[in-house]
Every structure is written in C-alpha cells, then in structure tokens.
Amino acid sequence: MLSEQEQIRRQSLNELIRLGVNPYPAESFPVTATTAEILEQYPEQNKFEEVSLAGRIMSRRIMGAASFVELQDESGRIQCYFKRDEICPGEDKTMYNTVFKRLLDIGDIIGIKGYVFVTKMGETTIHVREFRLLSKSLRPLPVVKEKDDKVYDAFTDPDQRYRQRYVDLIVNPQVKDTFIKRTRMTNSIRNFLNEKGYLEVETPILQPIYGGAAARPFKTYHNALDMTLYLRIANELYLKRLIVGGYDGVYEFSKDFRNEGMDRFHNPEFTQVELYVAYKDYQWMMNLVEEMVEKVALDLHGKTKIKVGAHEIDFKRPWKRFTMFEVIRHFTGIDISKMDEAQLREVAQQLEVPVDPTMAKGKIIDEIFGEKCEPQLIQPTFITDYPIEMSPLAKKHRTQDGLVERFEAIVNGKELCNAFSELNDPLDQRERFEAQLELGRRGDEESMVLDEDFLRALEHGMPPTAGLGIGIDRLAMIMTDSNSIQDVLFFPHMRPEQKKEAPKPEDFTALGIPAEWVEHVINAGFASPDDITKEKPTKIHQMLNGYRKKNKLQIPALKLEEVQSWFETKN
RNA sequence: GAUUCAGUAGCUCAGCUGGUAGAGCAACGGCCUUUUAAGCCGUGGGUCCUGGGUUCGAAUCCCAGCUGGAUCACCA
C-alpha cells in the first residue's frame, strides 16, 4: 500500500504525461555551470548572463505568481527564482500554474536556463527563463531545514541512512563530503606510491588457501572446478610471490573479507593497502609510513593537525617509537622482556587482563598490550619488535632472540598499520607455519594454514623485503573524524530488510491452486493470493504457463477455466 | 554471541501512573510578483515494528521475536 504522498505523486506523474510533459526524457540536458561556480564567481565576473544547469529541487517557497526553489547539484545548492509571466509569456499559464506549482515536488530533478542576479536579501539567485522536468521523483524526501547553521529535523536514523545511502547523500551534504575525502585520500596514497615507482597490481580475491593474516574466512564454492574457495582475508602471500617474480615494489588496494563480528570498527569486507618493497627493512618502512600519512593529512586538510573526536592528532614527522617491551613497561611498570609463558600468565592475572589456556606466550603479550597500552596511544606512535609467536610471516629480529622485526602504527588508540621485514627464509617459514598448525590444534580458530605453493616460491629465493598493510577504512575514519566505520563505507553491511512476510502455501491451496503449482506460483513472485486475484485471470493464466515453459516444469499446463475458478473461490 | 536502549504520519519527535492517537516540517485546497526554517486560512494522512498474554479496555503493562544504536567478546 502506497502512502498518501506516494499516491499523489503517481497521480501527478500521470497528469504530466497527459499534459505532454515527458517525466523521464531521453535527451541530454546542457549544463554550463555548477552551483558552486556561480556562488563563488558571481558577481565578480560578469559571466553568468546565460546559464543552464540541472539538479534536484530541495525546497520551494511559492508566493502566488512568483516562487523560489532551492536547486541542488553535485557541488551544492543555489536559489532559483521562477516568475509566472516569465515562464509563461503568452496567455497559457499551464507551465507555471499547473506543471511547476502543482505537479512538481521536492525531490524532482529539473534543468533550468536563466541568468544570475542578487535578491534584495542579498542572495545570489538564478532568474529562471525556462525549465524542463528531467526526472520525476515518486517518493517524498525527508525535508531538512537549516537556519544560522542550526539544522532542523535532520535525517539521522542510522538504519535508514545506511540502508538508503542515496537518501542520506541527497539530504546530508556532510556525508557526501566524507566520501569525497575518502577518495582524495586513496588518490593521495596512490600518487605517493606511484611517484616512488611502485607497481599497482591485482591479485586473486577467490583463493584456494586463505593466508597472510590470522582471521576466519568466508567460504564459497566453485561449481566447474568442484572445489572450495575462500574470499581473501589478505593478499600478502600473493604480493610476495610477485616480489619473488622480480618486481621490486608492488602494492594493491585490497578488499579483504573476514568472517568475524561487526561493530563500529569492523565490517565483514574492508579495504587495506598492502605494499612490498624489495631490499628494504622495517626501519625503512616506518619512515615511508610517516611520510605517506603526513602527506595524506596535508593533501586533505592542508595541515598535519587533525581533530578526531575529542582529540587533536598531529601527524607531523617524526612519530614516537617504542618497542613492545618498552611500551608495556611504560604503561604498567612491569618489564616482561625476560619472562616465560607461566610468568606472563601471572602478570596478566595481576593486571586483570583476561587470558585463556589456548593462548601462547605471544598472544598473552598481545593481550596485555591491547588492554593496557593501545587505548592510551592517541598520537601516532610506532610499536616495534613483536614476539615471534604472533608474527609467523615476519623475519626474526637481527639482534633480539624471540622477537621479530615488526611494527604497528597506533593512532587514536587503534592499529592503523602493520608491517615487517618479511620472512624470506623458506625453512624458517615452514617451521613457523607448522607452529601455526600446532596453535590450530590447541584451539586457535584464527591460526594460519600452510601454503605449499607460497613456500615453493620462497624456496626460489625472495629478496629481503619490507612489507606493509594499512587499514584504509580506519585511516578514512581518522581523516574524516568519523566515529564509525559505517560512516566511511557507502554501503555498510546490514541484516536484510524483511518487510514482507514469507508467502504461506496454505493460502494458495485455499484458493484451489493445485499443490504441485504452489511452489512455482510463489517462485514466480506472488507473495499472497491477493497478488494473483488483483490481476485478470487471462493474464495470470498466460504468466504461469509462460513460467512453466521457461523453467521446463514437468507438470501439466494450466487451463484457463482452472485459473478462473481460483477467482471464483475468492469471491 | 551477551548486556542495554530504541522502534508512533513521508521526516524529526511528543504521548505521565492503561481510557477513542498529537505537534512541527512535508502533502492537499485557498491567498500572496524578491522570499529564505517565507507567511496566513483551511483539510487530509497511522498495521503506534511483529506475534502472543494480562485487562471491560493496551501505543502505554508482561512474554517472545524482528531491525537498529551503544557497550562488551572475537577481530583490522
């Protein structure tokens, strides 16, 4: 059932057609200026004496024979002035009185031609000489009003904003801005990496063995090959194969998929940039990260200090650097650098950090860090030299036993990137995989699987390489001061809407529809008996037999009399 | 997955200890030729998320479910 306003708009649509106005014309409409250009450049340059632009009607103030309309295009909004005798110079005032005043609505997309002037109240406005309907809108838009920077009746319901992002983008200009910033951010990173001479590549999303990170995957199935495939949780092992192949710098903006919980920092699919550079180490990579993120801040904001929530974060180089042991000592006063697993368990207990028996030494350290240190690191900080157990793809530390050459950058209490001097010793790598398999046997569902082909690649020899993964969504949240990952993803994952209740087969059999047909009637798109009886019997007869033929159903075709009997059962 | 809060007109929200559902904007009909959260007069619009229960009577109380938010757990 359509709402009253939707019904009225459909009536208006029919009325327009009756008046010879095509509500969805095919021809292109010439656009010679954007609202932003006009607002910026008028009246300094005397050049908007003949403009043609298009956009969506966002508000209307009708005053009899004259009206003001706010028109919104991609760049912003501008006020337009419609005057009856100008729109309709002759006797026939239909175009203004009927088409414009009665049949157009907020949300309709129109094209206008006219000239720019300034009203008595000082607002730059387009004096419209003619207009053309370009697309009729059949649904009412939320009407958001604004005065003195105060917003009234803002469209805020998160459920609707995320499910109907198009509406969100239409009525909430800041949202559009956020996503423009996100794209500028990825452009900035891409330019930076391209200027360094690294090659942007694409690697498989469907992987027979998921690897490169510790996470649970999404599983899917390939029919032709009759095999299980996984959506990638990372692309690390593929990019390293390319380093083996002889590219010295490769990167990929990678949509990765992890089958885990969702919250304001996690979406099942998310974006990372991974970068691998041959003949470099993690110290070198730290410098690159600083340089790159500082540049991103400058490109987006023109400065390195950025407001994020209640904090001001400064990305100016150099960032603070701590080793994992240093930072734990700094925040807890405890030096864990010489401790074994049992001692670490004791420390965890003492610090009230929850640990469980499946956790090995590295995981316990990670828990202590995550609980006691990470949330306190607001300004960009590098944490280096992680325990070997939790970094099966990183190279052993050049001087410290039991550690690897790895760093993470922490910003605003969250991990922003993860990087290491990559492990290129194939024998060591095999042992690390085997240690992971052992963790898996202990019950760790996120332990890594052994990838023989990756080991084969390493056995051919991979140059010493520095590798990096940066969470693009996280960086976008920081750079746009967004509180939730949903605010930097156009279409965050949501549970499906279920407006209609599932069709009940009994309802159809009650109508007299043969049992063997009911399933197909439902599949053909009829959700309730009413969906059938509101049509003509002849049409239903044709549709269902057409469906039978198309799907080669092994059941007898319907006779028209049979279909007609359903309608009589109804009455 | 757990806890908790919310779901009422197209949108934003009121609706107290149970007693026939309200406002602003939007819509519809008038008036209004430089208004701007335009204004003035009038009108219509509801599965009160869904399903049960208690009750003479439920938007309101109870139970279950659905969807979303926040927090927690897993994780980036």
Side-chain angles (χ1 to χ4, degrees):
Chain A
M1 187 59 186
L2 296 175
S3 71
E4 184 194 27
Q5 295 196 41
E6 287 173 301
Q7 290 172 33
I8 289 167
R9 286 191 181 214
R10 277 169 161 76
Q11 285 164 18
S12 300
L13 180 84
N14 291 332
E15 184 77 357
L16 285 163
I17 293 168
R18 208 181 55 76
L19 288 170
V21 176
N22 182 353
Y24 304 106
E27 310 85 66
S28 55
F29 185 87
V31 173
T32 62
T34 68
T35 62
E37 281 165 15
I38 295 170
L39 292 174
E40 273 163 33
Q41 295 173 21
Y42 191 85
E44 292 120 54
Q45 285 162 278
N46 208 12
K47 65 183 208 186
F48 297 115
E49 285 171 6
E50 192 62 56
V51 292
S52 174
L53 68 161
R56 193 183 290 275
I57 297 174
M58 297 305 290
S59 80
R60 304 204 297 164
R61 294 180 282 275
I62 293 176
M63 303 168 302
S67 303
F68 290 91
V69 159
E70 279 185 69
L71 196 72
Q72 175 169 287
D73 67 7
E74 190 190 345
S75 68
R77 282 188 198 184
I78 194 163
Q79 179 171 265
C80 303
Y81 179 64
F82 287 70
K83 193 162 145 186
R84 183 181 58 205
D85 297 338
E86 196 115 7
I87 302 291
C88 309
E91 284 300 304
D92 181 7
K93 305 296 182 193
T94 309
M95 207 49 192
Y96 181 83
N97 284 343
T98 307
V99 173
F100 172 75
K101 266 168 69 174
R102 274 201 335 103
L103 302 178
L104 287 196
D105 289 289
I106 289 175
D108 289 352
I109 295 168
I110 59 171
I112 58 165
K113 291 180 180 171
Y115 61 90
V116 180
F117 74 110
V118 177
T119 63
K120 277 184 199 162
M121 300 299 289
E123 178 154 353
T124 304
T125 301
I126 300 172
H127 190 117
V128 177
R129 288 208 183 91
E130 50 179 301
F131 73 93
R132 163 130 211 230
L133 177 60
L134 300 178
S135 182
K136 179 72 191 157
S137 161
L138 296 179
R139 284 176 183 263
L141 221 45
V143 177
V144 180
K145 299 211 173 188
E146 203 183 323
K147 190 193 187 181
D148 302 331
D149 289 332
K150 253 183 91 172
V151 178
Y152 298 81
D153 300 330
F155 178 63
T156 51
D157 178 16
D159 191 25
Q160 294 197 75
R161 285 186 49 220
Y162 301 145
R163 284 190 203 280
Q164 300 184 53
R165 183 66 89 182
Y166 34 90
V167 174
D168 192 28
L169 288 165
I170 292 168
V171 303
N172 291 327
Q174 344 69 262
V175 175
K176 207 190 253 176
D177 261 9
T178 295
F179 288 100
I180 291 172
K181 275 211 184 75
R182 182 180 168 128
T183 296
R184 282 172 50 206
M185 182 185 96
T186 52
N187 286 346
S188 171
I189 293 171
R190 185 172 272 122
N191 291 341
F192 177 87
L193 296 174
N194 286 345
E195 273 165 29
K196 300 263 181 196
Y198 307 139
L199 185 70
E200 182 168 11
V201 297
E202 291 182 287
T203 64
I205 292 172
L206 291 173
Q207 302 180 347
I209 298 171
Y210 59 96
R216 278 182 279 174
F218 286 92
K219 202 172 168 178
T220 185
Y221 179 76
H222 190 277
N223 292 339
L225 294 179
D226 183 24
M227 70 183 291
T228 297
L229 287 171
Y230 301 92
L231 274 65
R232 69 179 166 200
I233 57 174
N235 55 356
E236 170 154 357
L237 304 187
Y238 283 92
L239 292 179
K240 285 182 183 171
R241 285 171 169 98
L242 296 179
I243 296 289
V244 170
Y247 295 105
D248 287 345
V250 289
Y251 72 93
E252 179 175 15
F253 281 85
S254 171
K255 201 59 147 344
D256 294 342
F257 306 83
R258 297 190 185 173
N259 207 339
E260 323 228 323
M262 301 164 56
D263 60 30
R264 71 190 185 92
F265 290 103
H266 301 89
N267 194 64
E269 55 182 286
F270 66 105
T271 306
Q272 281 197 89
V273 171
E274 291 203 30
L275 165 71
Y276 294 83
V277 182
Y279 312 113
K280 306 295 184 192
D281 65 4
Y282 77 135
Q283 294 290 340
W284 175 90
M285 187 62 90
M286 258 188 274
N287 296 334
L288 178 128
V289 169
E290 274 180 345
E291 186 187 345
M292 181 164 80
V293 176
E294 184 192 65
K295 174 185 178 292
V296 166
L298 287 168
D299 282 354
L300 261 58
H301 297 95
K303 56 184 183 181
T304 58
K305 284 188 185 171
I306 293 165
K307 186 190 153 290
V308 182
H311 300 110
E312 187 177 61
I313 293 179
D314 193 350
F315 288 98
K316 193 169 173 50
R317 289 180 286 168
W319 301 354
K320 270 182 276 176
R321 299 183 184 191
F322 288 109
T323 68
M324 177 64 92
F325 290 147
E326 280 168 4
V327 79
I328 288 175
R329 197 173 62 219
H330 181 259
F331 284 108
T332 67
I334 301 170
D335 181 2
I336 61 164
S337 60
K338 304 283 189 301
M339 290 183 180
D340 61 21
E341 186 172 324
Q343 290 170 301
L344 284 167
R345 271 182 202 287
E346 241 171 76
V347 169
Q349 201 156 27
Q350 180 190 333
L351 295 170
E352 294 177 345
V353 174
V355 286
D356 68 62
T358 68
M359 292 178 180
K361 194 176 161 186
K363 191 95 177 167
I364 298 171
I365 295 174
D366 191 39
E367 287 296 316
I368 295 172
F369 171 74
E371 200 74 21
K372 295 291 162 191
C373 311
E374 197 175 23
Q376 316 214 42
L377 296 168
I378 302 301
Q379 296 303 322
T381 308
F382 289 117
I383 305 298
T384 65
D385 301 346
Y386 283 62
I388 190 164
E389 296 90 338
M390 50 195 279
S391 316
L393 301 168
K395 191 177 257 189
K396 279 178 185 155
H397 197 279
R398 60 195 76 180
T399 59
Q400 309 259 337
D401 259 1
L403 301 183
V404 289
E405 299 205 345
R406 169 178 173 182
F407 72 85
E408 290 189 357
I410 313 293
V411 178
N412 205 25
K414 279 276 165 188
E415 176 188 341
L416 180 69
C417 76
N418 184 18
F420 2 104
S421 301
E422 299 296 336
L423 177 54
N424 63 343
D425 175 342
L427 303 176
D428 189 0
Q429 182 68 78
R430 182 175 293 276
E431 284 172 22
R432 303 279 196 94
F433 274 140
E434 269 154 14
Q436 286 291 308
L437 296 179
E438 177 54 33
L439 281 183
R441 282 191 284 272
R442 257 173 98 163
D444 186 346
E445 290 186 74
E446 287 152 6
S447 61
M448 292 186 189
V449 244
L450 193 145
D451 186 334
E452 278 294 348
D453 178 69
F454 173 65
L455 287 171
R456 179 166 63 188
L458 286 192
E459 285 164 10
H460 279 283
M462 182 173 86
T465 298
L468 167 73
I470 288 197
I472 289 298
D473 312 287
R474 294 280 174 84
L475 188 58
M477 284 171 67
I478 289 167
M479 290 294 168
T480 61
D481 190 13
S482 297
N483 195 42
S484 165
I485 196 169
Q486 298 175 114
D487 292 329
V488 298
L489 298 171
F490 272 127
F491 304 105
H493 193 261
M494 305 285 269
R495 280 203 169 81
E497 285 178 279
Q498 32 182 240
K499 275 250 173 78
K500 284 182 204 154
E501 52 203 33
K504 294 184 200 128
E506 317 86 80
D507 294 347
F508 292 89
T509 43
L511 220 54
I513 298 177
E516 74 248 31
W517 265 98
V518 169
E519 175 197 349
H520 304 301
V521 167
I522 291 171
N523 287 340
F526 297 98
S528 73
D530 286 350
D531 287 352
I532 292 178
T533 49
K534 76 183 177 197
E535 303 287 352
K536 288 201 168 76
T538 45
K539 185 175 179 193
I540 296 291
H541 177 242
Q542 284 181 5
M543 281 176 75
L544 289 177
N545 278 335
Y547 185 83
R548 171 181 171 273
K549 196 174 172 189
K550 190 178 165 197
N551 292 287
K552 303 192 172 77
L553 302 181
Q554 300 298 316
I555 51 176
L558 291 162
K559 296 195 182 81
L560 182 55
E561 295 79 359
E562 212 178 337
V563 175
Q564 278 164 338
S565 74
W566 306 346
F567 287 74
E568 285 151 18
T569 313
K570 169 100 194 303
N571 306 324

